[in-house]
Amino acid sequence: MCEATDVFVLRSSIFAVIALAAASCGKSRDDTHAVQMAERAHTEFLHAWSNYEKYAWGHDALRPLSKTPHDWYGEPLLMTPVDAFDTLILMKLDAEAEKTRRLIDNELSFDRDIYVKNFEITIRLLGGLLSSYQLTGDKRLLDLAQDLGRRLLPVFNSPTGLPYVYVNLRTGAVRDPITNPAETGSLLLEFGTLSKLTGDPIFYDKAKRSLVETFKRRSSIGLVGEGINVETGECTNRDSHISGGIDSYYEYLWKCWRLFGDRDCLEMWNASIPAIHKYLADEVGGGLWYGHADMNSGRRTATNYGALDAFFPALLALSGDVDRARRLQRSSFKMWNLHGIEPEVLDYKAMRVASPGYHLRPEIVESTYYLYHFTRDPEYRRMGEKMFDGFVKYCRAESGYAALSDVVTKQKRDEMESFAFAETFKYFYLLFAPSDTLDFDHVTFNTEAHPLRRTW
Ligand code: DMJ
């Protein structure tokens, strides 16, 4: 017998198929194929979503193998619903979006005596609530964002203005002073948008100061290191790269210029990027890679590149450097093809997996989408199709999508991060959907793929 959620999926899929089929009328073979691919992305998203609904509704995430709910901090903050909401809207899953909006409006409360990770909560929840508000006009979503923003503010109460890692949502107590540029420098899109939408400048000011303080801690050759102590301002780790721990700091320099027109951000970007190309870029076997170097000497310390680094072609393309973006994307795709799905980290010199997991990460898909957007080169849709085939083949589980603990053995792990809904499926879908699905020129995605609009 068909269960309620299955009927739901079936009905939603039929509507989407009709809408997408209508979009393919009178189109070329390539366009028709793209419509079919968008349908597949939509169907697979629904497979993951309906299982979240079935086994973990109202919780932060579904563990897809054990079919059990998981809450990051023991009490639900609705990570998956908030992260997925704007994807539901983009995919025109109206009934699911409405049900989710009601869940968020009625159940989400931040008045909780828990320490939360400021960075993750900002990019997933604050970013998700803000984009959801902009897409629906539901004032309750903005109120929730404002309440959350106020509860996060004590995180900046350090001697340097750089945020601690954790803040207690009820008491405002903070802890863990050792952090990194991604966590201190990727907050302004969300806090800044909150200021613009509420008229209260405090959010913009605090996050901007944090970004500037991060920038100030670059070395004399222009690189930032992976570790910062927010109390002393000292560097605790000199490893420099574009991978996790630093990645979105660079992303926000460009995107805050793009969204807010903040010239300081543009100047910080201009002062930062040449050092990345000079010291981190690495030509190996005719391909372009970005590895690790010591932030003070620029000496190469590791030839590692991975799933997180693969965001960089998107950022390069967005900032106008399409040629470099194309070259680096070729390397990312090589990494993907080594085992039919990308590892967390690859030693690109030895072409050997250095960290074997795949966490359903979106970055390589994001870059494929951006490159297709800027070039309209069908090569990127072909690349995306190959990635999607591997993604479905190895990560699809009976009850959702599962990360891999090893891309070589394809062993699954009981994990389906909310960013799979916010980002991975969204970018797959946008890569193949008709270009008017999203007004790219008037949208800036935060690092969790929540589209923010300059409505002020
Ligand atoms: C997401 O939470 C964000 O994209 C972040 O910037 C990096 N890691 C994950 C996805 O891989």
Side-chain angles (χ1 to χ4, degrees), residues 27 47 66 86 114 131-132 139 152 181 184 219 223 232 257 270 314 359 366 409 415 423-424 428 431 446 450:
K27 298 274 168 68
H47 170 70
S66 57
D86 51 30
I114 50 176
S131 73
S132 301
K139 180 71 171 32
L152 294 176
T184 60
S219 67
L223 294 175
T232 63
W257 156 241
N270 285 334
H359 297 277
E366 173 186 7
T409 65
E415 173 193 297
E423 302 189 70
T424 315
F428 270 130
L431 172 63
N446 84 336
H450 295 305

Side-chain angles (χ1 to χ4, degrees), residues 55-67:
Y55 296 111
W57 184 246
H59 292 276
D60 286 349
L62 166 65
R63 287 190 163 135
L65 303 183
S66 57
K67 306 177 192 177

Side-chain angles (χ1 to χ4, degrees), residues 278-290:
K278 184 165 178 190
Y279 298 106
L280 303 183
D282 204 358
E283 295 279 346
V284 173
L288 175 66
W289 300 88
Y290 283 74

Side-chain angles (χ1 to χ4, degrees), residues 2 61 199 210 223 340:
C2 227
S210 178
L223 294 175

Side-chain angles (χ1 to χ4, degrees), residues 379-454:
E379 177 192 357
Y380 294 110
R381 277 186 164 168
R382 284 196 294 273
M383 249 184 209
E385 181 167 352
K386 186 114 191 270
M387 290 174 198
F388 190 69
D389 287 344
F391 179 74
V392 175
K393 181 169 177 194
Y394 300 123
C395 301
R396 194 181 208 275
E398 187 190 302
S399 300
Y401 268 73
L404 302 180
S405 52
D406 191 325
V407 296
V408 182
T409 65
K410 312 294 189 290
Q411 175 75 40
K412 287 192 173 77
R413 59 185 278 163
D414 202 6
E415 173 193 297
M416 180 168 61
E417 279 274 5
S418 65
F419 55 68
F421 294 97
E423 302 189 70
T424 315
F425 283 110
K426 184 186 284 156
Y427 288 131
F428 270 130
Y429 180 73
L430 287 173
L431 172 63
F432 297 109
S435 56
D436 61 1
T437 304
L438 181 105
D439 185 6
F440 189 97
D441 292 341
H442 295 101
V443 154
T444 298
F445 288 104
N446 84 336
T447 193
E448 190 78 1
H450 295 305
L452 300 172
R453 269 165 207 275
R454 188 180 174 135

Side-chain angles (χ1 to χ4, degrees), residues 4 10 27 51 71 110 120 134 161 165 168 195 210 220 256 283 302 316 320 337 352 356 362 389 403 419 439 450:
L10 193 66
K27 298 274 168 68
N51 278 290
D71 292 311
F110 297 118
E120 296 293 348
Q134 289 196 308
V165 178
N168 185 300
S195 276
S210 178
S220 59
C256 289
E283 295 279 346
L316 289 170
N337 285 331
R352 202 177 41 230
D389 287 344
F419 55 68
D439 185 6
H450 295 305

